Amino acid sequence: LFVLFILTATLAQGASFTSATVKETVGTVTVVSQKKNQGPATVGERIKESDLLKTGRQSRAELEFSDRTIARIGSNSISSFNVDGRETNIQQGEALISFPKGGGKATVRTAAVTAAIVGTTIYVNVRKDRVEDLCLEGLCDVGAYRMKPGDRLVMRGRQAAYNPPLETFRIADFVKKNPLFTEFSKPLP
């Protein structure tokens, strides 16, 4: 089962994404662009709507949008952006998204669930027939669930129709061990 994760954010102030700026790369991070074909992503480069971002094994990238939303993309991921629609599309892999407080509402869509989030930090891991959502900060309404910090939802295959149980996890342990927190030069805001 091929899973597509779509992140849609709409700011109360009406600001739109025009691009995402590459802030940091670790390992092999590639941009596939209609204009420059394929090449390594460079710090300061603007990722545009038609671009595809790929990360290799043990690789990651940090992107920043105009509203100061931070997207950290993990290893073996494929993502693209619809900047006018404020969407981040993760075809596979992991992402840590940190929306600024007071920045408005965002919606996360996967093949399994839809999440409405406000001023939050969320982790999503999309692998073949499994989608994992972790609420790290703020509130996330995921399907029929109201997730608070420390809540975890794992969907396997077609399990979304069966409402799997909401689990808990230790945020401090996750933050200490996950490369999207530990392997970047600066902490999240």
Side-chain angles (χ1 to χ4, degrees):
L1 177 65
F2 185 74
V3 181
L4 178 63
F5 160 71
I6 299 176
L7 170 70
T8 306
T10 305
L11 290 178
Q13 294 86 1
S16 64
F17 288 169
T18 56
S19 63
T21 302
V22 177
K23 291 299 197 176
E24 187 173 343
T25 64
V26 175
T28 305
V29 180
T30 306
V31 177
V32 180
S33 170
Q34 291 179 350
K35 292 184 181 177
K36 74 172 196 175
N37 295 325
Q38 180 171 322
T42 58
V43 173
E45 181 174 2
R46 294 205 181 270
I47 306 296
K48 297 180 180 57
E49 182 171 24
S50 59
D51 296 344
L52 187 69
L53 184 76
K54 295 180 177 182
T55 58
R57 187 171 181 253
Q58 296 182 353
S59 301
R60 46 207 163 274
E62 180 178 272
L63 307 170
E64 183 174 355
F65 292 89
S66 59
D67 71 341
R68 296 191 336 245
T69 292
I70 302 291
R72 289 184 173 175
I73 309 300
S75 64
N76 297 319
S77 296
I78 300 172
S79 60
S80 62
F81 306 94
N82 176 341
V83 294
D84 290 332
R86 297 177 52 82
E87 296 176 352
T88 302
N89 304 306
I90 306 293
Q91 296 173 3
Q92 70 181 37
E94 62 181 337
L96 177 69
I97 314 291
S98 180
F99 297 97
K101 287 183 170 62
K105 181 180 176 186
T107 303
V108 176
R109 297 179 200 272
T110 71
V113 293
T114 299
I117 55 181
V118 177
T120 194
T121 301
I122 189 168
Y123 169 85
V124 177
N125 191 339
V126 178
R127 302 284 180 206
K128 293 183 183 176
D129 67 343
R130 180 180 178 273
V131 177
E132 177 183 34
D133 296 297
L134 304 178
C135 187
L136 298 160
E137 181 180 54
L139 292 176
C140 308
D141 290 328
V142 180
Y145 303 91
R146 163 66 49 105
M147 293 176 66
K148 61 188 181 316
D151 286 344
R152 174 180 186 241
L153 182 62
V154 178
M155 303 290 224
R156 291 179 176 84
R158 301 175 188 258
Q159 210 174 23
Y162 304 106
N163 296 322
L166 195 60
E167 303 168 8
T168 59
F169 72 102
R170 290 182 43 85
I171 295 173
D173 291 343
F174 180 79
V175 169
K176 278 185 196 176
K177 296 176 184 175
N178 189 284
L180 296 181
F181 282 99
T182 63
E183 299 294 325
F184 284 90
S185 61
K186 296 179 184 174
L188 283 175

